[in-house]
Amino acid sequence: MSDSDYSHILRRDPRGERIARNRLHPLHSTVAVQVAETLGPSGLLRKNPHAVGFIGPNGIKRIDRLKGNAIAITGRRNAQSSQEVLLPLHQVSEPDFTIVVVPDMVGGRLTAHDKDILGQAHQLARSMEAGVAGESTGAGAVMAVVFGVSKEESFDKAGVDRLLLLDGAEYEGYCPEQQVAALEQVEARLKPEYWLFPDSVHGGTDLGSRLAARLGERPATQAWQMNTETTICRGASGSTDITRDTPRLLMLAQECANPVDETRHEALSIEWAPVQAVLPELHDLGQVAVDPNAIPLAEAEFILAAGNGITNWEQFHATAKALGATEGASRVAVDDGNMPRFRQVGASGTWVTARVYLAVGISGAIQHMQGIGQCDKVVTINTDAGCDMVKRADLSTIGDAEKVLDELINLVDTYRQQALHNQNGEKEGAKNAA
Amino acid sequence: MQLDANTSMDLKIVSLISVGKHPTSGRARRAEQDGRAVELGLTLAEAGRGKQNLTVLHAGDSQQSALRSYAGMGLESVRVIQLRESADAVSPLTEYLRKHVPDIILTGVRAESGESSGMVPYLLAEKLGWPVVPRIANIVSIKEGVAEVLQALPRGQRRALTVRLPFIASVDNAAAEPRQSAFGPANRALMEQQQAGSETDTVRSEWSELPARKRPKRLKVVKAKTAADRFKAATAKPQGSGGKVLKDKTVTEQAQAIFDLLLEEGVLR
Amino acid sequence: MTFEWLHPFLIATALLLAAVGAVRRVNLWRAGQPESVDFVAGLMAMPGRYLHDLHDIVERDKYMSKTHAATGGGFVLSLLLVVLVHLFGVQNQILAWALLASLALMFVGAIFVFKRRLNPPSRLSKGPWMRLPKSLLAFSSAFFILTLPMAGVLPEGAGGLLLTIVLGVFIAMGLSEMLLGMTWGGPMKHAFAGALHLAFHRRPERFGGGRSTGLKPVALDQRVLGVQKPEDFKWNQLLGFDACVQCGKCEAVCPAFAAGQPLNPKKLIQDMVVGMAGGSDAHYAGSPYPGKEVGQANGGPLLTITEGLIDPDTLWSCTTCRACVEECPMMIEHVDAIVDMRRFLTMETGSTPNKGAEVLDNLIATDNPNGNAPASRTNWAADQNLPLLRDVKETDVVFWVSDGAFDMRSQRILRAFVSLLKAANVDFAVLGDEELDSGDVARRLGDDATFQSLAKRNIAALSQYKFKRIVTTDPHAYHCLRNEYTDFAGDVFKGVEVLHHTTFLNELVQAGKLKLSRFKGGKVTYHDPCYLGRYNGEYEAPRELLRSLGIEIAEMERSGFRSRCCGGGGGAPITDIPGERRIADMRMEDVQTTGAELIAVGCQQCTAMLEGVVEPRPQVKDIAEILASVLLDDEAANDVENQLEEAF
């Protein structure tokens, strides 16, 4: 909760009002300010209509019979509503050293993981500025190297002091070789103090490993705690902690540090001579359209699961298709031959990790509940409000599954059509603008 | 898997294997990803001339019984570059691969024991000057010396890539599951030992290794400016003690509620 | 008479050809692997085994037992006398009359065989078996007429040439069926092979009321592990296959067959015969494997069985419930054969279907089938304060917890049992984390290497401590500990009794160590777990326990040794071969015909399978749970006693 919750309460200041009324009060001049009538440059008396009156406690403008002697208790409210918290700006004019962060930029935006790493970079910079063994290294800048088109608008708040945006055509798609060439140039010109990558499946690990191999650095991977001296990494597939000296190149785990939230940064774009295009040995043919049902159940992000309560299987499959969900099933649905065995969710089937699990007609046998233990959001359509699935679910609807699914298909269809319509509209708009 | 006539004849594949570690018992086992690398190698070799085109290579101790569980997939032999436990595996591997020059080298993404940095394929690629394709799910075809590869992306998505032979690829968990390891062939397989000179990994010997500590969950830190806010943050009821149940609502309302949640979660694409 | 020589000639030729056939048949069996058998003792014991053990099983069907006694007995006697009278020409009125009597007996028997074949049930094989009653009738009637002159009823040479020729044809027909068929592969093969099978049976312990149900261990250094080709079977197993009479009793009780899974034990044994002799199954005239056509399978002694002769799915459909073995009048060991072939599939080709590979990997890496952390084995008992053998070193009773420790449903059974143990003040302890999976599933899935490794480590753990009894709530672990660990245990189990919890609890209740109130609830039925009943012969203790609670058990039609499997044994839920119905559903139908509201069970696997049936259905509870629910605590017990005292 922010303090805005209290901001709507208007507090009267009786003392201020008293002083304002009393023109003889020594502090009167500091309180009564607004003068509605002034002598213009030509000698004419000018009336300022905006200054006439004041805003009353209930927000309605009142004519000021006190001739500006009433205290204006309005200011606070207006100020509050329009004021945005402006964080102090952290400036590094002439950096003595640089820490480079190469964020994942999934979908052109910083991920939470990227922000954690920027936070870590600033922690490093601050502790270096404070000095190792009393010897200060001067001011450091955190530089982000961003490939491809960026949609991010708040580099400043995430802690980017310097921004190197490489969005040429050669950086489109999957082009790790080109990216490494660019990073090599950064290394040659800036000699960064540290290289920080997110250790992630979104490309951070790949790029970090490539650069490490190229530079001959032995990187720290899956690092989750670090300072300028030592780093703790997860080893042996996450089952051991390796404590080691901090290397120059690190691939950091999620939540290694808190993101920057108390300062603003310059996010100064750096002018960079274009990197020579390398002849790639890998050619990106683009993402392959994957049928949601071809995604392994354990990996699927969104599962629509059917249980004993499903009677209309055609409709169920149609719903899965409309929603773009991977199909799952309870044991009973599989035993009855309505779904293949590899679709079974549960202790004896697949343990799923879906973000959203929509269970239709599944009452929730204990084995099934074990299988969905890692799901984020569970939604259920059920007839029995007392069943275990409803107890587990974040949202439950009690009623006829067939009707609800019908309605859901309609909603999704209209949503899709609208989206399509908007897209077309946008395209036309773009054309018109051109 | 499609291979054209030329490549199928003399496609030489090397699958690199390591000793895995079971996540709950910590016992040595066939590593999940390395097993998939062998499986992919076997499928490629079987699509071509036969199993003899696949070499399964390990750098380490040939006495390690977990290596037998790879052999149980139907291998006649496993080639082992005999190394001490503290030795660095990359340079003897590079030496071996320079000598034998395969067309495709398959590895896991990360080892299940040791440092598990996932650097081996990159270091080998750098030393051999070959391209490296990380996290592949399958090799779709090899035609005229160019392989079309499917790369695994998060949440079951795939990206198609082409790469010229020879190359190194690390095999993702999304690749085909390794076939069952059978006791009989595992027990009978030959462990072909090779001696190799190697340097001790001195950097690593300075590290300290302990069982993993549990990482603290990140708390939602409330940076309150006023006493009232701090009080509120401290006493606020934790969210989500049971879900929302829509009973006796119309079907439309119920469907709308579900739809809204799906939209909010961003799973409708 | 000019044709005097004809009949003795026919008899002699038939006997000679039969002898040649016998040598050939014996050579087919000798292709199998060596197995040491006490030949003399076996042959000596054979008539007794036939008259007692085999006949006890046939006796379950009175009609057939009488028919067989008449036909078979009459035939054996007749044949002996025919040889004496007609071949060696012993002229003796008494012998002749005796022969007439035995032929008459055989004739009467044959008429009943004929009647049975008029409208045979589906389990019986047709084909040559339909011919058999006619051959029997021909044999007995022809020799009857031929013997009449010798008995002095008819004058010598009566009937003349025509009768001689007609008789000759009948005798030839009868002899070729009865003698040639015996060794060259007709229906009468069962008599020859069956007699030797009884003599050289691989499990002689089964005779004389004994029980031998543990699987035989595999020597892990063999050339091929398990059975790849028919010749990889032991020679007396091959002999056993030849003994099959195709009566289809096994087919009638097989749960997998009833569920429409591709298994028919009778066809399986016949396919083994096809494999042993070479050829195709085109001559098979019984029910096929459900969903599979007859005539497609080909085999030979040196061909891999699972490539062409038998679909691996057939082998994986078996729940190892042993109902077929229990019903087989020839005491053939179907389960042994199936597991032998599974061993090849798992240990040589690595093709355990569905979740099989994963379960085996887990057993190897974590010592439990679901890959749970080995250190979490005692988590269920965190609040139970169980004494550990590691601490106490010595105890009366070792409570073998089994893998139910990882399953939330089974934990309820375990807790109930612990509460009973504590109430009865039993001195007990558990192995805790030192306990491993018993190896049951690994062994049934054909991975004997993993079974042996688990068994040896379990035995090593047990050998460190002193105890008098092992009690377990899991019949599968019970079977392993009691019957299968002995092959590896040395004398660790010397003087140690292995008990199922129902047996042990029954002892406690009968000794008055548990104070129980009467059961208040509806109708109760009891489901016999296969591994408790058929494997270990414990049918009575659970029933007595239930009766002692005042429960009158509403027995199912298939109960006791005829109990139908729940479908959970032999790794069947893991290999999960599709059928038309689920075995558990069929068992639940059995339950529902009794009108019971509660099924008492003595096995966590049965509990899981039966509870997997969609509701509405009767409740399923382990006997330990039922007992714990009527257990009186000390105060309540005193109250009851006081009330009783006041009453008097």
Side-chain angles (χ1 to χ4, degrees), chain A residues 365-379:
Chain A
I366 189 152
Q367 288 85 355
H368 194 86
M369 305 314 278
Q370 270 174 289
I372 62 169
Q374 291 182 58
C375 292
D376 255 5
K377 280 266 167 10
V378 176
V379 186

Side-chain angles (χ1 to χ4, degrees), chain A residues 308 331-332 335 341 348-349 366, chain C residues 355 408 576 582 612-614:
Chain A
N308 199 29
R331 190 190 57 74
V332 180
D335 283 347
R341 181 64 68 187
S348 51
I366 189 152
Chain C
K355 292 236 153 192
M408 288 161 106
D576 191 32
R582 277 174 22 93
V613 176
V614 179

Side-chain angles (χ1 to χ4, degrees), chain B residues 22 24-25 27 180 184 188, chain C residues 223 347-348 352 364-367:
Chain B
H22 195 275
T24 56
S25 72
R27 275 187 220 163
Q180 187 180 355
R188 287 188 285 265
Chain C
R223 171 185 58 86
M347 288 196 287
E348 289 294 343
T352 324
I364 292 167
T366 63
D367 305 324

